[in-house]
Amino acid sequence: GLELTEVSRRFGKTAAVTGASLSVADGEIVCLFGPSGCGKTTLLRIVAGLEPLETGSVSVDGALLAGDGLDLPPEARPVGMVFQDFVLFPHLDARENVAFGLRDLPAHERRVRAGEELARVGLTGYERRYPH
């Protein structure tokens, strides 16, 4: 599993991530939600070793990857990263893109849940908009 403990990263005077902690069990699927600029990508880049860790620690399966003076390079980490560009289906609107991953729910529940998740990230009113 993945363990982040009190992870922080600044860019100049701007705090990109402050005291983030997260535990992900082996085999668990996790999604980070939040508005643009809240630190999601920075946090993932820290895990992958593409951004230096300023405080805290990053471990995978109990092995320290970063923290306490250690900062393994990306190629030495058992972590991969897929960047967010081009991950939306262009033929689906925003609600359909979010609902795509909720196939285990009945259609009505999928629509409701997708609307809730869009609202959570400030996209209410954009449900019927397409990525382009």
Side-chain angles (χ1 to χ4, degrees):
L2 172 66
E3 188 76 31
L4 307 180
T5 306
E6 294 295 317
V7 170
S8 296
R9 173 77 168 110
R10 299 181 68 80
F11 296 98
K13 294 182 180 182
T14 303
V17 176
T18 305
S21 294
L22 174 69
S23 291
V24 182
D26 200 30
E28 183 177 17
I29 297 173
V30 174
C31 184
L32 299 177
F33 278 98
S36 181
C38 74
K40 301 177 303 289
T41 300
T42 299
L43 190 63
L44 294 173
R45 290 176 59 85
I46 289 169
V47 171
L50 301 172
E51 288 291 340
L53 177 68
E54 290 182 8
T55 65
S57 64
V58 177
S59 300
V60 172
D61 295 334
L64 187 65
L65 304 182
D68 292 332
L70 177 68
D71 188 17
L72 292 179
E75 63 273 12
R77 295 180 184 216
V79 175
M81 184 168 170
V82 177
F83 293 90
Q84 63 191 7
D85 296 336
F86 307 111
V87 296
L88 297 175
F89 296 108
H91 64 290
L92 300 179
D93 63 29
R95 180 184 292 136
E96 292 166 331
N97 265 287
V98 172
F100 185 83
L102 303 172
R103 289 181 276 178
D104 59 325
L105 297 177
H108 173 72
E109 288 182 45
R110 247 191 336 263
R111 281 191 300 278
V112 169
R113 177 74 182 274
E116 291 170 352
E117 297 305 332
L118 287 168
R120 186 183 309 230
V121 295
L123 290 175
T124 300
Y126 294 93
E127 296 88 352
R128 304 305 301 167
R129 299 274 302 266
Y130 288 84
H132 57 279

